[in-house]
């Protein structure tokens, strides 16, 4: 079965991105574009077919496509981001996804961002964060329930999204920062703590048996490798300055 990675080129206005927990720092746009290119090439090397949307220059955060849609085998849910500046990103992603899935939409006033959605089989966890609210999560639950999914809201604090705090790195293994989310919620899974010196290190992209991982977290990388995981690192420094990480730059699904 073909895996598709939907991505979007880095916007020329990336430096005007939304920031919540980080101080604004100068972003080297050319370097951001090279890093994003290396990311997309790596997804291709890992077996993905790339569907690349053109740059949306007027939308600084549009490279972070994960936040505007959640793609499941049965359907795609187009979100309504909590960050108002990001809502216009959704239409073009929806148009592209319509070729692959029936679409459902989160309606106003509810908000939901894909960075808050962690799907573990038929169980979907959604961060109750500054970006996803209980109305959005209730709508999401109503959309998914007929397809046999359970949806559980999870409180996150101190970080942007649920997947800033925890991601899946193996069949039965999660990588997380226990300061930002309660590991007890995920008691059916094994849990690996990030190294305490690297609080932002929980966002990894587990794909086709490998863990795609930021080069900036060597101590946590060592923890992943000590578990026997195959880790491939990427330097994404400029995307990290925009409070982005690895999962947020793609929507990955099967054709
Ligand atoms: C934002 O604040 O919305 C963007 N600057 C970063 C979004 C990152 N998204 C993600 O990790 N899923």
């Amino acid at each position: 079965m073909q895996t598709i990675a939907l991505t979007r080129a880095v916007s020329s206005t990336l430096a005007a991105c939304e920031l919540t927990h980080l101080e604004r720092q100068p972003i080297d746009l050319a370097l951001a574009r090279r890093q994003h290119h290396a990311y997309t090439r790596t997804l291709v090397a890992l077996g993905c077919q790339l569907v690349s949307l053109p740059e949306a220059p007027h939308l600084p955060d549009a490279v972070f496509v994960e936040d505007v849609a959640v793609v499941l085998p049965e359907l795609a849910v187009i979100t309504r981001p909590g960050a108002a500046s990001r809502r216009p990103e959704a239409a073009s992603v929806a148009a592209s996804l319509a070729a692959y899935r029936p679409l459902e939409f989160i309606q106003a006033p509810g908000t939901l961002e894909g960075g808050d959605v962690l799907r573990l089989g038929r169980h979907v966890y959604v961060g109750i964060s500054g970006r996803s609210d209980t109305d959005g999560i209730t709508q999401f639950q109503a959309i998914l329930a007929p397809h046999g999914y359970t949806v559980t809201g999870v409180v996150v604090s101190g970080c942007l999204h649920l997947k800033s705090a925890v991601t899946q790195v193996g069949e039965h293994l999660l990588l997380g920062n226990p300061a930002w989310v309660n590991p007890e919620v995920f008691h059916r899974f094994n849990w690996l703590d990030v190294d305490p010196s690297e609080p932002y290190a929980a966002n990894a992209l587990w794909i086709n048996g490998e863990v795609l991982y930021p080069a900036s977290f060597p101590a946590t990388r060592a923890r992943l490798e000590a578990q026997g995981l195959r880790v491939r690192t990427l330097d994404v420094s400029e995307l990290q300055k925009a409070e982005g990480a690895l999962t947020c730059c793609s929507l990955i699904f099967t054709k």
Side-chain angles (χ1 to χ4, degrees):
M1 220 178 334
Q2 179 67 55
T3 304
I4 294 184
L6 178 75
T7 64
R8 171 146 46 200
V10 173
S11 301
S12 49
T13 50
L14 177 64
C17 63
E18 294 281 343
L19 286 177
T20 307
H21 296 279
L22 297 182
E23 294 293 319
R24 202 165 292 278
Q25 297 179 57
I27 293 179
D28 180 333
L29 182 62
L31 179 55
R33 288 187 162 139
R34 286 199 298 278
Q35 291 176 344
H36 187 260
H37 183 71
Y39 173 83
T40 57
R41 290 299 103 201
T42 303
L43 292 178
V44 171
L46 287 169
C48 296
Q49 176 191 330
L50 203 62
V51 174
S52 183
L53 299 181
E55 176 189 343
H58 53 297
L59 299 172
D61 283 305
V63 63
F64 303 123
V65 286
E66 170 185 69
D67 292 321
V68 295
V70 179
V71 187
L72 301 162
E74 300 84 355
L75 77 167
V77 180
I78 308 304
T79 70
R80 182 172 181 273
S85 72
R86 301 203 53 193
R87 290 178 195 150
E89 296 173 25
S92 49
V93 170
S96 177
L97 288 175
Y100 303 98
R101 298 287 193 277
L103 304 182
E104 296 273 1
F105 294 83
I106 300 296
Q107 310 286 349
T111 66
L112 190 89
E113 294 193 2
D116 275 313
V117 178
L118 176 65
R119 178 162 82 89
L120 301 173
R122 308 305 286 185
H123 301 287
V124 186
Y125 296 88
V126 187
I128 303 166
S129 68
R131 298 290 182 87
S132 301
D133 65 14
T134 50
D135 181 355
I137 296 170
T138 303
Q139 291 183 41
F140 190 62
Q141 193 162 34
I143 292 168
L144 264 55
H147 299 280
Y149 292 94
T150 62
V151 173
T152 306
V154 182
V155 173
V156 293
S157 60
C159 61
L160 187 60
H161 289 127
L162 177 62
K163 278 187 289 193
S164 321
V166 55
T167 57
Q168 184 173 21
V169 291
E171 199 60 44
H172 302 287
L173 184 63
L174 303 179
L175 173 67
N177 178 343
W180 290 347
V181 70
N182 181 359
E184 283 302 309
V185 172
F186 307 99
H187 60 89
R188 289 197 198 88
F189 281 75
N190 297 319
W191 177 277
L192 180 66
D193 275 348
V194 297
D195 190 278
S197 67
E198 297 172 342
Y200 288 90
N203 188 275
L205 180 55
W206 182 52
I207 174 164
N208 293 348
E210 292 199 30
V211 179
L212 204 54
Y213 198 64
S216 54
F217 305 124
T220 306
R221 177 192 175 170
R223 292 184 177 206
L224 290 166
E225 287 173 336
Q227 297 285 320
L229 299 170
R230 290 181 63 184
V231 182
R232 202 187 276 230
T233 55
L234 281 176
D235 185 355
V236 286
S237 61
E238 304 312 290
L239 300 167
Q240 288 171 320
K241 290 177 190 169
E243 218 165 337
L246 286 183
T247 63
C248 59
C249 294
S250 56
L251 285 163
I252 294 180
F253 53 93
T254 53
K255 203 162 185 169

